[in-house]
Amino acid sequence: MSGVVIHLPGGRDDAQGEPCGDAVTLRLGPGEVARFGRGSATTPVELRLDDEAISRLAGEIRVTDDHWQLSNLSATQSYLVENPEGAGEYLRVPPRRAGAPIPFEFSRVVLPTRNTSVAFQVFAPDHVYLDPDGLHGQWGSRTVTAYSLDETALYFLILVALCEPRLRDESPVAVPTTPQIVDRLKNHPACGRLTARAVSSHIDYLADEKMRISAPAETGPRREARRNGKREAIVGLVLRFGLVREEHLALLPPRSGAAGQERGTAG
């Protein structure tokens, strides 16, 4: 595992319990540690959570070779680690628990406060999967997957939506925009609250961590052009290697309106 990405959103969403302040994104490699809490001049932290109910030094995240660990340094409060893309799975990390191993690929770390809660996300993009053809062979000859994709994850659903026009032989159609993906997935049971910002984050995650498509930072119109190019690069790569195929279209909700009627007539 090459490391993890930690994202602390900026602003506050009372419905979601997100913390105040500027957004922070950290990348940690094996052996590295990030501490979180209110912090102070004598207690520096990499992730500052500005709430009086949170300890100056509330906990730490440590990356190992094949997973990451959460230490709860609070003497009184338990923390939750949620799997946002699962069926309600979560872990409770009790006070003073050191080095709790976290198994989720996407995690939401939630700390209680007097009003609601604060949270940040941890992405562990390089979970290792064995070659299915070699499961019964010698362990010494095992291989890992070049592009590790979880077909049950929300990012994979967004990836299928990105590839849908090409898979349906609508090649003249441009790769869908972020608003078009939100609209395409709105009837999916897991996407009722999907936002454009969330879709953009997943596309960035796919490009930067899963597909490893690097691009320099841009602002303004050049930034939007860069995003369009990123989507094109993702679709081109996954279709070339067959990572998304026609059978994956069944994961999407039925097409509505004229497009769906035309598809039904054609069938």
Side-chain angles (χ1 to χ4, degrees):
M1 178 162 127
S2 63
V4 304
V5 177
I6 306 172
H7 180 63
L8 176 65
R12 174 177 287 277
D13 182 341
D14 290 333
Q16 297 296 320
E18 305 294 1
C20 289
D22 295 333
V24 176
T25 299
L26 301 176
R27 297 175 186 270
L28 302 181
E32 294 185 315
V33 175
R35 302 192 298 177
F36 58 89
R38 274 179 29 239
S40 69
T42 57
T43 309
V45 293
E46 286 73 28
L47 295 171
R48 185 178 296 275
L49 307 175
D50 293 322
D51 191 284
E52 61 183 4
I54 295 176
S55 304
R56 295 288 183 186
L57 182 56
E60 71 175 26
I61 289 169
R62 180 180 297 274
V63 181
T64 71
D65 287 335
D66 58 3
H67 67 282
W68 63 277
Q69 302 171 343
L70 176 67
S71 293
N72 181 353
L73 303 182
S74 170
T76 58
Q77 300 283 6
S78 292
Y79 303 153
L80 297 182
V81 182
E82 301 173 341
N83 178 7
E85 298 187 336
E89 297 100 333
Y90 69 91
L91 298 175
R92 182 183 296 110
V93 182
R96 301 181 303 280
R97 172 68 162 93
I102 308 301
F104 308 135
E105 184 172 6
F106 284 2
S107 301
R108 186 170 183 262
V109 181
V110 184
L111 285 70
T113 66
R114 298 187 68 177
N115 296 320
T116 170
S117 62
V118 296
F120 57 88
Q121 288 82 41
V122 182
F123 304 88
D126 286 341
H127 283 188
V128 174
Y129 294 87
L130 299 178
D131 183 345
D133 296 330
L135 289 178
H136 302 293
Q138 295 295 321
W139 287 106
S141 63
R142 64 183 179 179
T143 57
V144 298
T145 305
Y147 298 109
S148 173
L149 297 174
D150 180 358
E151 295 185 7
T152 67
L154 178 57
Y155 69 73
F156 191 81
L157 191 64
I158 291 170
L159 184 57
V160 175
L162 275 173
C163 296
E164 182 181 27
R166 303 281 176 87
L167 288 171
R168 293 194 187 279
D169 234 356
E170 300 168 353
S171 50
V173 179
V175 173
T177 64
T178 295
Q180 287 172 334
I181 293 175
V182 173
D183 185 65
R184 179 68 181 91
L185 297 178
K186 66 183 179 183
N187 293 324
H188 191 283
C191 300
R193 300 177 63 184
L194 185 65
T195 64
R197 181 176 180 181
V199 169
S200 294
S201 295
H202 280 287
I203 290 173
D204 287 341
Y205 175 69
L206 282 163
D208 299 340
E209 306 301 333
K210 289 297 187 179
M211 303 292 104
R212 299 181 290 281
I213 299 169
S214 59
E218 301 283 0
T219 59
R222 289 178 61 86
R223 181 180 182 183
E224 185 58 32
R226 181 67 65 182
R227 283 179 174 171
N228 291 338
K230 183 181 291 186
R231 287 194 293 265
E232 292 276 358
I234 291 171
V235 170
L237 181 62
V238 300
L239 292 183
R240 278 201 304 275
F241 284 99
L243 305 176
V244 176
R245 300 175 298 278
E246 189 171 353
E247 61 261 32
H248 290 127
L249 294 174
L251 297 172
L252 300 174
R255 300 174 90 184
S256 59
Q261 292 171 6
E262 289 172 5
R263 183 67 176 175
T265 302

